[in-house]
Amino acid sequence: KKLPVKRYRNVHYLPHLKIERKDKHYHMHHWAVFGASYLPLLFMRRRFRSKLLHGFFIGSIMQGLTYRDRFKFVKPLGDFATQTAVEVGVAEEAEKK
């Protein structure tokens, strides 16, 4: 089963985070999102002691860095335009049921 497709105008936030512009889209990789949210937690070490949560963040960052396109944030819109159209069609079909 696929995750639902959620978006607000030109910002897709489920199942992945991306922002569409005229002929490009900006893809926010999950390792970058987890990295940005993990940094403030590092400075709150006294209040943030959960080893499980630390492991989850570090594991998500490391796993995301294994992809080939890990540093490619800007892509031509054509790369995902077809995929997005299919996802929207699947989401619309699911809403009808």
Side-chain angles (χ1 to χ4, degrees):
K1 188 175 180 181
K2 289 192 171 194
L3 291 173
V5 175
K6 300 288 182 181
R7 65 184 283 172
Y8 178 74
R9 296 185 184 190
N10 64 335
V11 178
H12 294 253
Y13 55 91
L14 264 179
H16 46 264
L17 184 59
K18 72 177 180 179
I19 301 169
E20 290 181 357
R21 292 289 177 203
K22 295 175 185 172
D23 59 341
K24 297 178 184 173
H25 76 263
Y26 302 90
H27 178 78
M28 298 307 297
H29 295 279
H30 72 275
W31 67 266
V33 173
F34 279 106
S37 49
Y38 184 59
L39 280 176
L41 297 177
L42 285 176
F43 295 109
M44 299 187 312
R45 281 189 186 250
R46 289 186 179 166
R47 292 192 295 169
F48 180 66
R49 295 184 182 182
S50 171
K51 290 182 181 182
L52 179 69
L53 217 45
H54 278 286
F56 176 75
F57 275 100
I58 291 171
S60 296
I61 294 166
M62 289 175 62
Q63 188 271 340
L65 290 172
T66 63
Y67 288 103
R68 283 187 196 176
D69 67 344
R70 62 188 166 263
F71 298 119
K72 190 171 183 180
F73 291 95
V74 181
K75 298 180 182 178
L77 192 55
D79 284 359
F80 282 108
T82 306
Q83 176 185 349
T84 302
V86 170
E87 289 172 351
V88 170
V90 169
E92 289 173 353
E93 285 293 319
E95 288 177 4
K96 290 179 184 177
K97 292 180 181 181

